[in-house]
């Protein structure tokens, strides 16, 4: 028996590991499906209970909807089906990759979103990078730096968190576009047009992140191993950047995961303020027009985005902290 | 000794400290914690500073590498390392000194290594920082260092993280990182406190080996037995002052100061059960002992427990009688704590059973145990983790009194009675756990256990985190309470001296097996199993100090 044990171990170990991995993947896909389905259902319910006349939305500019036209529209969009039937047929469409046709744009929702999505993704990514970079710099330079520095930055961060994005956007436009004429105030052409919206969207996130990061950095800097690192002759830069920073990354990425939802919400406001094309602006007008397929389509995109971001983050945890492997 | 002294005078001392004072805080709030001490260390000499927590020994050691912490004010007539004054170093000069001239080994390698970096990267850090080795040769040097400190398979180990190493290997790796840039002085601050005895012996041998390589060692410890193994000279520190110093053998065999005597007396290794450890004037040495009856209060039969495919307990059996203490001793991972958890019915055994007062205790639904739970209480190593930190002592005790439906009108009186039993005053009632010392917290934990009027107390490493003199007081308290209430103890510890002192019978565990059991004196005086013999041989004993310290001196005389 003792001879067979190592053989058993070698045979059993990879099998168990791959089963664990398969289970984890299956679990994650299951969760993703539930999140997306939940988002669709909740939005569907909310939009339907908003009331209003979908025929009027679809007819759009036509002032007087004739009974014939009404009949046509109802038949084409299946509006006389029961609520449950409409819900099921929409889910069926989603499963086939069909998000329906926009009432107002009169084109497939998938196509309309695909056209606008890159603008928004660019904005989200630059805003996140900006937020993380600001949070890194501020927290690394201010952690454990005396009461005065700390309270000054804490006050600034509280303001940063509290300032509404639309106000910040308007201030940025007033100062840097109209005043200093450094950056354009509208549009999505080129890198320059990305600067102000990214700041408006990223600054509140940066303020939140740097507060949390400083807390974890300070906790780490009080750990016994930091004394060991200093005793090896390491300077402040090595202590903070090589050692403490990585310890704060776990909480930073967790927070980025949560905030990714907020960022999409923020994009709606920021795209509006800067007249920037993107799915944020698209959903804004779709809600006003009661353009249900577009609203639902963007909700699905946001849910998928949220799920992807959080999956990536879950995969990053064990890379950052080997104890989680 | 005269030979030694003349040898020391040949070269300038490695460390020369005169009138060192260290204070914290500013203005009126300034508190001086070290009050003008002198000490020196020669090359190849190991000097120990011995004292309890709060004595100022750690901050004294840290003053040699400029890491006394924010807000510390260090003044002295002289602080010199390697013949050079280090009293007015710039930050950059300090960094050049740290790691190269002075290396630091901290208590617990688990928290002293950056847990997110591999051991190899941690060890190579001083080499990179000081560019002592060309970067192409760093890996080779790390392997060599690991080999030097006796880490097997260094190529494999260097790519592992500290949490993947055993306690002993981790501590060796920490020493490797401290000696990487070959410093002339190593500061070892409680380097063996968190370790099992056998590993402790190996680490001490490693320090002794560095000493033979002519490295000076400043050993900081509260454990006189550890100090006696490697130190040539010892300074006994209390409240920021040295109360006594001299060659180790002389200080330990012929202590002059009361405090040194008290420290020596507090060490449980040398005391059999029934003697007091913390002696106060006018007290008798002999302690009352509980009458051990033939009633079996707790019985374990063939307990087996596995986690996954690893069996951690293989068939443990014992009968605990009323008034008796059974000690379970073993190194970490031996299965002793799992045995305790099964006795407490916190874990169900895979097979075998536990009975309490002759009635089944394992293998029954929890609700059938609930009414009997108060009869068996537990005290852990760190009460902080089992107390709600926002609760006051009064609330902590009130919680358990409510649990046993103690009459509401009598609770206040009962709380005071309990505090009195464990030697605390009523002023403690409104304190919160964080406002108390480790010893006080452990007393509150005992009071809380007693509030349920238990018959059995399981002590799981209950005194392992305490200083010797506090440990002595808590052990005395437990013994007094046992005699007063005829309680039974299941006493789990890795510390053989403590187990020997408290136990009537002892179980020695290794890898989940009970390798030896029996009357405590039989086991300790005539160990049958090879493992028990090894464990006992590894205990540092003060009584062996005369020979241990004499050997290196003879060697010096000869050279």
């Amino acid at each position: 028996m003792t001879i067979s044990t190592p053989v058993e171990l070698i045979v059993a170990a990879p099998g168990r590991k791959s089963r664990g991995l398969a289970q984890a993947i299956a679990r994650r896909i299951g969760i993703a499906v539930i999140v997306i389905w939940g988002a669709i259902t909740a939005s569907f319910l909310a939009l339907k209970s908003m009331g209003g006349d979908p025929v009027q939305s679809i007819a759009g500019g036509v002032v007087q909807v004739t009974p014939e036209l009404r009949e046509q529209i109802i038949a084409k969009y299946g509006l006389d089906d029961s609520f449950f039937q409409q819900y099921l047929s929409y889910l069926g469409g989603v499963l086939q990759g069909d998000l329906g046709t926009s009432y107002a744009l009169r084109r497939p929702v998938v196509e309309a979103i695909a056209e606008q999505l890159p603008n928004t993704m660019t904005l989200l990514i630059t805003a996140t990078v900006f937020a993380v970079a600001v949070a890194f710099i501020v927290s690394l330079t201010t952690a454990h730096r005396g009461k005065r520095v700390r309270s000054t930055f804490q006050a600034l961060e509280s303001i940063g968190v509290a300032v509404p994005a639309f106000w910040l956007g308007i201030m940025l436009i007033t100062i840097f576009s109209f005043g200093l004429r450094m950056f354009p105030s509208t549009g999505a052409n080129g890198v320059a047009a990305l600067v102000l919206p990214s700041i408006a969207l990223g600054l509140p996130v940066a303020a939140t992140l740097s507060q949390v990061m400083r807390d974890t950095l300070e906790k780490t800097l009080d750990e016994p191993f930091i004394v060991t690192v200093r005793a090896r002759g390491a300077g402040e830069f090595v202590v903070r950047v090589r050692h403490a920073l990585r310890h704060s990354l776990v909480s930073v990425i967790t927070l980025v995961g949560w905030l990714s939802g907020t960022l999409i919400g923020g994009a709606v406001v920021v795209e509006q303020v800067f007249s920037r094309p993107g799915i944020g602006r698209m959903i804004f007008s779709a809600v006003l027009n009661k353009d249900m397929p577009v609203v639902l389509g963007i909700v699905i995109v946001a849910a998928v985005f949220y799920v992807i971001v959080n999956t990536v983050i879950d995969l990053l945890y064990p890379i950052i902290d080997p104890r989680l492997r | 000794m005269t030979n030694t002294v003349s040898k020391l005078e040949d070269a300038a001392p490695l460390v020369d400290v005169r009138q060192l004072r260290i204070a914290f805080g500013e203005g009126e709030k300034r508190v001086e914690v070290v009050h003008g001490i002198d000490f020196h260390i020669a090359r190849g000499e190991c000097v120990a500073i011995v004292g309890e927590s709060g004595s100022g020994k750690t901050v004294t050691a840290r003053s040699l590498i400029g890491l006394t912490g924010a807000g510390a004010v260090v003044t002295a007539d002289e602080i010199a390392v390697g013949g050079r004054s280090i009293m007015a170093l710039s930050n950059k000069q300090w960094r050049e000194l740290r790691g190269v001239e002075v290396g630091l080994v901290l208590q617990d390698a688990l928290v002293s290594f950056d847990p997110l970096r591999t051991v190899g990267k941690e060890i190579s850090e001083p080499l990179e920082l000081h560019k002592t080795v060309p970067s192409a040769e760093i890996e080779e040097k790390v392997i060599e260092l690991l080999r030097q400190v006796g880490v097997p398979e260094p190529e494999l180990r260097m790519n592992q993280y500290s949490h993947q190493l055993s306690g002993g290997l981790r501590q060796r790796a920490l020493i490797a990182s401290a000696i990487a840039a070959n410093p002339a002085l190593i500061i070892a601050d409680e380097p063996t406190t968190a370790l099992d005895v056998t590993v402790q012996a190996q680490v001490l041998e490693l320090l002794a080996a560095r000493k033979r390589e002519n490295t000076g060692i400043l050993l900081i410890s509260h454990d006189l037995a550890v100090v006696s193994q490697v130190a040539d000279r010892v300074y006994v520190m209390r409240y920021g002052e040295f109360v006594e110093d001299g060659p180790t053998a002389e200080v330990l065999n012929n202590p002059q100061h009361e405090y040194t005597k008290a420290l020596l007396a507090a060490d449980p290794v040398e005391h059999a059960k029934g003697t007091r450890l913390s002696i106060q004037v006018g007290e008798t040495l002999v302690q009352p002992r509980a009458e051990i009856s033939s009633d079996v209060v707790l019985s374990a039969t063939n307990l087996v427990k596995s986690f996954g495919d690893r069996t951690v307990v293989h068939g443990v059996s014992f009968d605990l009688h009323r008034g008796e203490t059974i000690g379970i001793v073993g190194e970490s991972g031996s299965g002793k704590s799992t045995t305790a958890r099964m006795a407490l019915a916190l874990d169900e055994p895979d097979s075998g059973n536990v009975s309490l007062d002759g009635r089944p205790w394992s293998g029954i639904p929890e609700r059938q145990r609930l009414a009997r739970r108060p009869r068996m209480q537990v005290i852990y190593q760190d009460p902080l983790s089992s107390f709600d930190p926002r609760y006051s002592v009064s609330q902590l005790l009130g919680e358990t009194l409510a649990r046993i439906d103690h009459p509401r009108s009598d609770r206040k009186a009962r709380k005071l009675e309990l505090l009195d039993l464990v030697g605390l005053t009523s002023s403690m009632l409104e304190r919160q756990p964080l406002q108390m010392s480790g010893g006080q917290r452990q007393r509150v934990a005992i009071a809380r256990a007693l509030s349920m009027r238990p018959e059995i107390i399981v002590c799981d490493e209950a005194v392992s985190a305490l200083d010797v003199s506090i440990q002595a007081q808590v052990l005395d308290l437990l013994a007094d309470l046992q005699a007063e209430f005829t309680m039974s103890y299941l006493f789990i510890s890795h510390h053989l001296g403590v187990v020997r002192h408290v136990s009537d019978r002892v179980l020695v565990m290794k890898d989940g097996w009970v390798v030896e059991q029996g009357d405590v004196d039989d086991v300790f005086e005539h160990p049958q199993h090879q493992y028990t013999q090894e464990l006992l041989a590894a205990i540092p004993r003060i009584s062996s100090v005369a020979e241990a310290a004499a050997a290196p001196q003879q060697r010096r005389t000869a050279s």
Side-chain angles (χ1 to χ4, degrees), chain B residues 484-497:
Chain B
E484 193 168 344
F485 300 108
T486 329
M487 280 190 294
S488 312
Y489 292 153
L490 192 59
F491 200 98
I492 286 117
S493 178
H494 70 278
H495 193 304
L496 288 114

Side-chain angles (χ1 to χ4, degrees), chain B residues 300-465:
Chain B
T301 318
N302 266 319
L303 299 181
V304 175
K305 181 77 185 171
S306 305
F307 293 110
D309 47 9
R310 209 167 66 88
T311 306
V312 291
V313 175
H314 301 266
V316 172
S317 304
F318 58 84
D319 284 333
L320 180 64
H321 298 87
R322 192 180 306 284
E324 183 186 40
T325 301
I326 291 185
I328 302 183
V329 68
E331 303 189 12
S332 39
S334 60
K336 55 192 193 308
S337 283
T338 307
T339 305
R341 288 180 59 82
M342 286 190 281
L344 285 159
L346 298 173
D347 277 338
E348 276 289 328
D350 297 341
S351 69
N353 58 68
V354 183
S355 65
L356 179 65
D357 302 315
R359 287 158 61 201
W361 181 243
S362 64
I364 56 172
E366 178 62 25
R367 71 192 141 72
Q368 289 181 27
R369 278 192 288 252
L370 225 45
R372 289 191 289 158
R373 280 251 176 237
R375 301 170 56 74
M376 184 160 24
Q377 291 297 304
V378 60
I379 305 168
Y380 292 109
Q381 175 168 2
D382 177 18
L384 254 193
S385 54
S386 44
F387 288 167
D388 184 332
R390 289 163 306 172
Y391 270 35
S392 65
V393 170
S394 175
Q395 284 169 310
L396 286 168
L397 295 176
E399 202 180 28
T400 51
L401 290 176
R403 164 76 175 77
I404 55 162
D405 295 323
H406 194 88
R408 203 170 276 276
S409 57
D410 185 49
R411 280 188 199 166
K412 175 87 198 235
R414 175 72 176 151
K415 284 176 194 172
L416 293 174
E417 188 189 352
L418 286 165
L419 287 183
D420 188 48
L421 275 174
V422 298
L424 294 174
T425 60
S426 60
S427 66
M428 281 289 152
L429 272 181
E430 293 315 313
R431 294 268 189 96
Q432 290 178 342
L434 287 169
Q435 300 166 327
M436 295 182 283
S437 70
Q440 287 170 336
R441 277 200 289 268
Q442 206 53 287
R443 284 172 192 266
V444 172
I446 295 170
R448 199 161 117 115
L450 287 177
S451 69
M452 313 281 262
R453 300 185 192 277
E455 284 177 73
I456 302 166
I457 295 184
V458 177
C459 303
D460 191 352
E461 301 281 4
V463 296
S464 303

